[in-house]
Amino acid sequence: MKSSSEAVTTSAGPRPSVRMEDVARHAGVSPATVSRVLNDRGKCSAETRERVLAAIRDLGYVVNAAARSLAQGKTGALGLLLPAVSTDFMSSFLQIVAGAATDEGYDLLIALRSEGSQRRMLGRHNTDGVLIFGGAMGDPSLRRLSSEGFPALLLYRSSPQGLTLPSVVIDNEAGVRAAVDHLIEAHGRRRIAFLRGRPGSEDAARREEAYRESLARHGVPVDPQLCRGGLSAEEARASTVALLRERAAFDAVVGWCDGAAIGAIDALRSEGMRVPADVSVVGFDDISPARHLDPALTTVRAPTELVGRLAVRALVQLIQRGVAEPQARLPVELIVRRSCGCAR
């Protein structure tokens, strides 16, 4: 005869072979009723619910999470499609989105843009919805995604004309206008170079457009020679060195992002120029290293954490309720430090 302790050990613990039908038979209900109790869906009396839960405890029934997800058509994961991950900004942003997804009860799957395979990498087979960063997916693919009704939200990009995909964007124009206005009005800079971002990027295009508009508003002509590539710190450094060696006259640099501004500062120093005495420098984003540079970088602070968290929350709302706000446009702020020429 088994001891009482042995009996407890044997009756406790999961029994993977127990099926939902066994629970239903034990509780005297249908398998559909057991499913309603497990998924907390549909009407069920308190007495019936308790009988089902008691049967689950008695039999040691273990819910197969994968089977439940398959039955519900849910994966419990969000997707994030990216164009690249090789910047300080993107590394920080990934952590924000991953944390926000976890807080909402979802895993996060990340994929890099790959022409022809992006729909296979992230879709209904492995995610409940997808966040699409900037230009990581072209308009034709976005139109197909929208026609399929798959939950998708755009990050740092507005919905293409004719579509109603929800999006989270920032006020790029206001940020660059504030930066250029400050350089002209507070420091008298008028030969302002601009280090541009990726072609096709809405953020990059709107920042360059605001740079040109701000110059025009102050009666300063745009010199095409002063508009150079600044997609990365390396490219911005090379562009700035080229300007100096071509003896182009400029007294300020606006980087489309902080990485571009940091590359410009490195180039200026390597060529014997002083920042900000000879050339003022301003960036955009306010990544963590910006405040620790010498001189500390004047930049436009974008609400990166809010963008990530708001986007995840909106996508989850779209998945669960079928609706989300069409667009969230978040404000930015000029953070004045020493690289522009201010004493503080």
Side-chain angles (χ1 to χ4, degrees):
M1 181 176 177
K2 293 181 180 179
S3 67
S4 59
S5 62
E6 287 175 322
V8 169
T9 303
T10 303
S11 61
R15 299 178 187 175
S17 60
V18 176
R19 302 173 302 165
M20 186 182 294
E21 290 79 1
D22 300 324
V23 174
R25 194 161 37 248
H26 190 82
V29 298
S30 68
T33 299
V34 176
S35 177
R36 283 197 295 271
V37 171
L38 288 172
N39 296 311
D40 197 22
R41 292 180 176 178
K43 293 183 179 180
C44 186
S45 70
E47 186 270 336
T48 299
R49 178 182 177 81
E50 183 51 43
R51 285 212 322 272
V52 171
L53 294 176
I56 289 171
R57 289 193 296 269
D58 291 346
L59 299 177
Y61 176 65
V62 177
V63 179
N64 186 320
R68 177 194 280 185
S69 294
L70 184 62
Q72 294 176 342
K74 301 295 182 183
T75 66
L78 305 180
L80 175 60
L81 182 62
L82 300 172
V85 293
S86 59
T87 64
D88 288 337
F89 169 85
M90 194 63 79
S91 298
S92 174
F93 187 72
L94 282 176
Q95 294 178 25
I96 291 167
V97 174
T102 298
D103 290 345
E104 294 287 345
Y106 286 82
D107 295 325
L108 182 69
L109 298 183
I110 300 168
L112 297 182
R113 176 176 182 170
S114 177
E115 293 296 341
S117 63
Q118 56 201 24
R119 295 177 68 220
R120 176 178 55 79
M121 289 190 298
L122 293 177
R124 293 187 187 278
H125 64 288
N126 57 7
T127 61
D128 297 334
V130 63
L131 299 166
I132 302 166
F133 191 105
M137 183 178 284
D139 285 4
S141 295
L142 287 177
R143 294 184 191 283
R144 285 195 297 269
L145 201 64
S146 178
S147 68
E148 293 168 2
F150 185 61
L153 185 141
L154 305 178
L155 285 162
Y156 297 102
R157 178 185 178 179
S158 303
S159 183
Q161 187 173 7
L163 297 184
T164 56
L165 293 172
S167 63
V168 179
V169 300
I170 61 173
D171 196 343
N172 290 290
E173 297 91 336
V176 173
R177 280 197 299 266
V180 176
D181 289 354
H182 180 76
L183 289 171
I184 295 173
E185 296 167 8
H187 301 290
R189 306 300 197 185
R190 296 181 70 83
R191 295 285 298 171
I192 303 174
F194 185 81
L195 300 175
R196 56 166 66 102
R198 185 188 305 275
S201 162
E202 181 174 314
D203 278 354
R206 292 195 170 184
R207 291 173 196 181
E208 182 171 354
E209 183 180 352
Y211 154 79
R212 293 172 178 273
E213 289 176 351
S214 187
L215 289 182
R217 202 169 58 254
H218 289 88
V220 178
V222 175
D223 184 347
Q225 185 185 18
L226 298 184
C227 295
R228 301 291 179 101
L231 177 59
S232 64
E234 292 74 19
E235 185 178 56
R237 186 185 191 284
S239 292
T240 306
V241 168
L243 284 171
L244 292 170
R245 294 183 179 176
E246 291 167 13
R247 299 188 180 281
F250 65 101
D251 52 19
V253 174
V254 173
W256 87 280
C257 69
D258 284 347
I262 290 170
I265 290 175
D266 184 43
L268 290 165
R269 283 181 167 169
S270 71
E271 297 294 312
M273 304 293 286
R274 299 168 299 165
V275 178
D278 298 321
V279 180
S280 298
V281 179
V282 177
F284 198 115
D285 286 327
D286 196 25
I287 61 175
S288 181
R291 70 200 68 183
H292 303 299
L293 296 175
D294 184 19
L297 183 64
T298 293
T299 185
V300 176
R301 177 177 292 164
T304 307
E305 181 161 358
L306 182 57
V307 168
R309 293 196 168 275
L310 187 61
V312 169
R313 195 176 309 128
L315 180 59
V316 170
Q317 182 184 48
L318 187 61
I319 292 167
Q320 297 179 349
R321 303 180 189 175
V323 294
E325 290 296 321
Q327 185 182 78
R329 186 179 178 87
L330 305 181
V332 298
E333 177 188 7
L334 180 65
I335 303 299
V336 176
R337 299 191 180 107
R338 290 196 304 114
S339 70
C340 64
C342 289
R344 53 179 166 150

